[in-house]
Amino acid sequence: MKKEKRKYSKKISPREQAFLSLLAIDREGAFSNLEIKKVLSRSLFSKPDMHLYTALVYGVLQNELYLDHQIKKMLKSRTSLDFKVRELLRIGAYQLLMMDRIPDYAVISETVDLCKKYCPRAKGFVNGVLRNMARQKQQLKNWSWSDYENSVQALSIRASVPREILDIFLQVFGTKKGVQILMQMNQPSPLTLRANRLKTSREKLIHLLEEDGIESEKTLLSQEGIRVENASVTELSGTQACQSGLFTIQDQGAMLIAETLDPKAGEQVLDMCAAPGGKTTYFAEMMENCGQIVARDLYPSRLKLIDAQAARLGVTIICTEIGDSTKLDAKDHGRYDRVLLDAPCSGLGIIRRKPEIRYRFNRKEQKALIQIQRKMLLNAADALKAGGTLVYSTCTVDPKENGEQVQWLTQNRKNMKIEMTRQISLLDDRCDGFYMAKLRKTAQD
């Protein structure tokens, strides 16, 4: 399949760049957050164009099933849409149905112009579909549950969540909470910071941010978390507080995982899948920069991210190592007081941040992932001293990767005892969807 050439210049419009980025995400498997970051770092968009580009990419991905459903209503027959034509129609439909500030004529004109460039034979078709949608816009927007075959279909389409994933959420959280979570899944994620207790306090950091005109408040669950309401990551990165290492940008749920491990000064800690290092550096802050943390990852480039974070925060007790956590060196057996296994997973708990995850979920791939998680869990248990603590965490909500894995570990390592488990969601002070389990090793093998 031929790839569209990526473009990153000031001459390209935000709509065209959104089209090319969506092709890269949907056809080439790019991740939305990395694609957007790459585009914004290389292009010369004005601030309004940056916002439009970002809104289009995330908006189309977050609402793909809903947009396809509405586009289908505009087709007179079971028309088979070319991939590029479908992507253009999604971009146009999103602007017509979900972005009130752009005039209909501008949406249609811009989309047809893009069609002339990338699939000229379809320009009349695209023009007709979008004009028809514009005429029926109010009717399409005024939906009710009775418009669908059943409530499950309605929820799947309105939240743009495939049925298989919808079923997992309803199973884990129950119908009432599950529906609440799914209907809020496409809202923006909050921006949260972790105060660096080696250099400041949460109260002092809130005051410093206020002096820079940044409104913030304490998070309800994490002891060091701060939620920011009126600033972007870019704006925060430019503050003196950031450059001085007074905080780290991190989701509150990730902070809770580190707080669950609760490492102490002077201990030996292993972070098995550490990059990019948010939890690793929090461990060091909790340990008062005293002891040793071994942070491992498969790729040197990712370890550099940990080293850079540690240097900015004033952390000196982290030792980064290239390592495959599906294997355990003899020197690691029974060595550590505490181990974190933040395992690779299906990522269903962070769909807000990476909306394309919902369309890539695959049970066959998940089965292979579960076997990797199990190898890592055995190694994590074996790396602990007697009396040591293991925290197993994921950013998914599927019990097959969470509770069932922890039960499997206790059956295969009889000396591992569960002390607590917790599944959080955006209903928990707007956190991402993290699972965490705390286990203690009662005796050495």
Side-chain angles (χ1 to χ4, degrees), residues 257 342-351 393-397 402 423 432-435:
I257 292 170
D342 187 33
C345 67
S346 58
L348 300 183
I350 56 171
I351 285 177
S393 64
T394 70
C395 56
T396 192
V397 301
N402 293 338
Q423 176 72 66
D432 283 338
F434 286 101
Y435 172 86

Side-chain angles (χ1 to χ4, degrees), residues 109-226:
S109 175
E110 293 280 351
T111 308
V112 171
D113 284 346
L114 280 177
C115 191
K116 290 177 183 176
K117 183 173 181 178
Y118 289 97
C119 31
R121 293 183 180 179
K123 64 181 184 296
F125 171 76
V126 168
N127 181 63
V129 170
L130 293 181
R131 285 187 180 279
N132 194 19
M133 183 174 287
R135 284 192 292 268
Q136 300 182 47
K137 179 166 68 171
Q138 203 55 50
Q139 179 184 345
L140 293 171
K141 292 171 73 171
N142 294 335
W143 70 282
S144 69
W145 294 94
S146 61
D147 294 337
Y148 301 89
E149 291 181 9
N150 52 59
S151 59
V152 174
Q153 184 201 46
L155 182 58
S156 176
I157 291 172
R158 291 303 306 182
S160 278
V161 175
R163 176 64 187 270
E164 189 170 28
I165 296 176
L166 183 151
D167 289 343
I168 293 171
F169 275 83
L170 296 182
Q171 172 196 348
V172 172
F173 297 104
T175 301
K176 183 178 179 180
K177 288 185 177 180
V179 170
Q180 287 179 309
I181 293 168
L182 290 163
M183 291 303 289
Q184 296 178 47
M185 184 97 58
N186 295 330
Q187 294 181 3
S189 299
L191 180 54
T192 51
L193 315 177
R194 185 190 80 232
N196 180 0
R197 63 173 69 177
L198 297 178
K199 295 187 175 186
T200 189
S201 67
R202 183 157 67 164
E203 292 75 15
K204 289 179 180 178
L205 180 56
I206 289 173
H207 180 69
L208 284 173
L209 293 172
E210 185 179 341
E211 290 180 346
D212 286 333
I214 297 172
E215 299 174 8
S216 61
E217 62 181 4
K218 294 179 180 179
T219 55
L220 299 179
L221 303 179
S222 171
Q223 57 195 356
E224 299 294 353
I226 297 171

Side-chain angles (χ1 to χ4, degrees), residues 377-397:
L377 271 166
L378 293 176
N379 291 338
D382 293 344
L384 279 174
K385 297 177 181 177
T389 298
L390 164 65
V391 168
Y392 172 73
S393 64
T394 70
C395 56
T396 192
V397 301

